[in-house]
Amino acid sequence: MVQNNVSEFMEKLIAKNPGETEFHQAVFEVYNSVMGFVDKNPKYKKARILERIAEPERMLTFRVAWVDDKGEVQVNRGYRIQMNSAIGPYKGGLRFHPTVTASVLKFLAFEQVFKNSLTTLPMGGGKGGSDFDPKGKSDNEVMAFCQKFMQELFRHIGPDTDVPAGDIGVGGREIGFLFGQYKKLRNEFTGVLTGKGLNWGGSLIRPEATGYGALYFVEEMLATRKDSLDSKIIVISGSGNVAQYACEKAHQMGGKVVTLSDSDGYIYDPEGINAQKLAFVIDLKNVKRGRIKDYATKFGCKFVAGKRPWEVKCDVALPCATQNEIDGNDAKKLVKNGCFCVGEGANMPSTPEAIEVFLGAKILYGPGKAANAGGVATSGLEMSQNSMRLGWTREEVDQRLNCIMKAIHAQCVEYGKQGNFINYVNGANIAGFIKVADAMIDQGVM
Ligand code: NDP
């Protein structure tokens, strides 16, 4: 019955949103979890909450024309998906990557709605970005693009309306250029973006928050089996913002991180990536904007070109790069090699087949909307500090982040417990859904 309802719903959704495969995948994953719950609570059906949550409140698409260093005109497409504002202003990152499409951003915005709800903070869900590729561009070109992108976006955002942040391809440099242009156009210095620089409204711990939060979540998952990260072998994908700080916290918690990757391949360092080696990665990626292969040359370890790290034997896997980076075969390989805990730093890194393998094997599987919610949670803390016009200490923000990750874990346990097993997928989806759905009912049909 539940399966039939999900299939029927998906058929209509696919017909209405043709070709948007990532968006279909994200909706299917959530509705597969919540359909049974909705069936038992007819008020959600009557208010047609499922149909309404899957329909963005507003979708903006705009041309971004800019001039490169050679004086040539370049044309990109900009987007902002304002998905749901039932529990607060739209909140979610901007992604600059050539693979960005409406489908990718709709999946991310949809996920963001439930994730933000789980954080316990008052934030709605949104996402945006462009098919612009910052890789290989000069600082001047990135600035030119960001200014032109904001020249349109500024009309649609604001500290009480929509507060974007970073995501793939959008870090501190890009947020700076975007904020500068917003301020110029509006003549207002407000908390309109998060991930800002520390001396102009940013929060301590925001750069670290997604990676640290993922590890706090993993720590909670392991504690349910009376285990910890101590001496565990950890495989991480990606080498950007999330991967870097996941690596740092995993190392601090006593684990041994043996891989990092980028879109060219992965490095395997059986000695483990310590603080000194991570400092090299951070400088390589954030300052020199180089490739992870250089790590292998520098530290004399293996670089595996064109592959992802899931073939490496590990206890814990932390996908921190991009969507659909673990397929069914990768998942089988991980489980066969003894991996018993997966914490998703990235958004939707596991395909539906991979999730089935993890749940079937009853390993600890923390989906992104729960495990990586520390980033947006700390963005929420940055918003609070901006509103109060004061800044909390590093310890204070870290402590709040830790409490939020524990609260998210507790919600997953409350709604996901199946006997001795915790189905974190169901837990996160149902807990995130209830708060948003109830707020929508309270606010009437719109
Ligand atoms: P960054 O741009 O800092 O890093 C992205 C990393 O992933 C890079 O190493 C990049 O390699 C790699 N990557 C990107 N696309 C691909 C691809 N198609 N195939 C293989 N590798 C790829 O982004 P973040 O670290 O901020 O984001 C990583 C993930 O975490 C994303 O899924 C994002 O949505 C999610 N996330 C981020 C949050 C944040 O606060 N930043 C919050 C919550 C989730 P290369 O340099 O070669 O492109």
Side-chain angles (χ1 to χ4, degrees):
M1 171 72 173
V2 170
Q3 283 316 315
N4 284 349
N5 288 349
V6 176
S7 307
E8 213 175 286
F9 185 91
M10 288 309 300
E11 240 172 70
K12 287 187 195 144
L13 183 108
I14 291 166
K16 205 168 177 188
N17 303 275
E20 297 187 342
T21 50
E22 294 87 356
F23 179 53
H24 305 161
Q25 183 183 333
V27 175
F28 175 76
E29 192 243 289
V30 173
Y31 285 9
N32 211 19
S33 293
V34 303
M35 193 61 85
F37 179 79
V38 168
D39 282 349
K40 284 190 213 126
N41 293 277
K43 66 175 179 176
Y44 299 123
K45 250 193 178 154
K46 184 157 182 278
R48 300 196 62 189
I49 293 295
L50 294 182
E51 287 84 347
R52 284 160 64 191
I53 294 190
E55 191 65 38
E57 289 180 12
R58 193 173 297 106
M59 276 181 62
L60 307 157
T61 312
F62 50 95
R63 178 176 69 212
V64 187
W66 57 282
V67 180
D68 69 15
D69 287 348
K70 292 191 211 111
E72 282 168 20
V73 175
Q74 301 290 337
V75 183
N76 288 100
R77 185 174 291 172
Y79 303 86
R80 187 73 184 162
I81 316 289
Q82 297 181 331
M83 200 75 192
N84 195 298
S85 60
I87 61 169
Y90 308 106
K91 179 90 197 88
L94 296 170
R95 177 177 289 192
F96 291 170
H97 196 269
T99 57
V100 162
T101 60
S103 169
V104 167
L105 295 179
K106 277 170 77 178
F107 116 63
L108 288 164
F110 183 79
E111 287 278 293
Q112 197 81 46
V113 172
F114 303 94
K115 181 191 307 193
N116 293 5
S117 164
L118 282 172
T119 64
T120 69
L121 302 177
M123 297 182 291
K127 201 85 188 188
S130 173
D131 57 357
F132 171 74
D133 187 357
K135 239 181 278 167
K137 304 285 191 302
S138 68
D139 285 351
N140 199 46
E141 288 175 323
V142 171
M143 180 172 73
F145 174 80
C146 288
Q147 290 179 342
K148 289 302 190 76
F149 182 83
M150 188 51 86
Q151 200 166 306
E152 175 59 34
L153 189 68
F154 87 100
R155 286 173 234 285
H156 312 287
I157 60 174
D160 296 318
T161 311
D162 184 350
V163 185
D167 190 76
I168 292 179
V170 179
R173 173 183 60 167
E174 290 76 15
I175 293 290
F177 295 145
L178 291 163
F179 183 79
Q181 183 71 348
Y182 179 88
K183 183 163 61 72
K184 175 86 186 156
L185 293 168
R186 283 263 193 223
N187 196 23
E188 279 174 8
F189 193 113
T190 64
V192 66
L193 291 157
T194 56
K196 299 186 289 297
L198 273 184
N199 51 357
W200 45 277
S203 173
L204 287 159
I205 301 281
R206 177 59 190 93
E208 295 91 335
T210 309
Y212 279 18
L215 269 297
Y216 294 150
F217 193 86
V218 163
E219 199 181 31
E220 289 297 299
M221 289 202 293
L222 290 169
T224 64
R225 297 193 180 174
K226 307 209 172 355
D227 206 343
S228 78
L229 267 186
D230 194 31
S231 307
K232 299 291 182 300
I233 303 292
I234 301 164
V235 159
I236 297 183
S237 65
S239 48
N241 173 267
V242 180
Q244 290 167 12
Y245 290 103
C247 180
E248 180 171 273
K249 189 53 79 179
H251 176 65
Q252 287 170 4
M253 287 176 165
K256 190 200 263 191
V257 179
V258 295
T259 69
L260 286 173
S261 72
D262 62 20
S263 45
D264 294 342
Y266 74 89
I267 57 105
Y268 173 53
D269 184 348
E271 301 298 316
I273 301 167
N274 58 21
Q276 175 229 343
K277 290 172 176 177
L278 181 63
F280 171 84
V281 174
I282 292 178
D283 180 63
L284 174 73
K285 284 289 168 182
N286 304 7
V287 180
K288 301 201 172 73
R289 302 196 184 270
R291 309 305 298 158
I292 198 66
K293 188 172 190 269
D294 298 350
Y295 178 105
T297 314
K298 166 91 181 164
F299 297 109
C301 69
K302 194 159 96 175
F303 173 71
V304 183
K307 289 192 117 180
R308 294 176 292 209
W310 317 125
E311 58 196 14
V312 173
K313 190 169 161 49
C314 66
D315 303 304
V316 177
L318 304 174
C320 295
T322 193
Q323 66 269 12
N324 292 330
E325 53 170 319
I326 302 183
D327 64 21
N329 285 333
D330 296 326
K332 281 182 201 152
K333 244 183 268 169
L334 280 167
V335 171
K336 186 164 164 262
N337 283 337
C339 172
F340 64 92
C341 177
V342 176
E344 293 185 341
N347 283 309
M348 208 168 77
S350 307
T351 64
E353 296 75 28
I355 296 174
E356 227 177 284
V357 172
F358 296 145
L359 294 181
K362 291 204 167 11
I363 66 164
L364 295 166
Y365 167 63
K369 69 170 72 63
N372 72 34
V376 72
T378 308
S379 277
L381 300 179
E382 183 173 330
M383 288 164 73
S384 304
Q385 293 170 80
N386 291 164
S387 298
M388 295 188 293
R389 303 214 189 288
L390 54 78
W392 292 324
T393 62
R394 193 177 164 84
E395 290 70 30
E396 202 168 348
V397 180
D398 197 25
Q399 168 83 29
R400 284 176 194 266
L401 168 64
N402 195 301
C403 286
I404 290 171
M405 296 315 295
K406 285 192 167 125
I408 294 173
H409 184 268
Q411 293 174 75
C412 292
V413 173
E414 183 180 347
Y415 291 98
K417 212 158 182 9
Q418 298 172 341
N420 285 334
F421 176 63
I422 301 161
N423 183 327
Y424 287 92
V425 177
N426 284 353
N429 286 336
I430 296 172
F433 172 81
I434 293 173
K435 189 169 158 195
V436 176
D438 287 350
M440 289 173 77
I441 291 178
D442 289 347
Q443 292 168 23
V445 178
M446 55 184 65

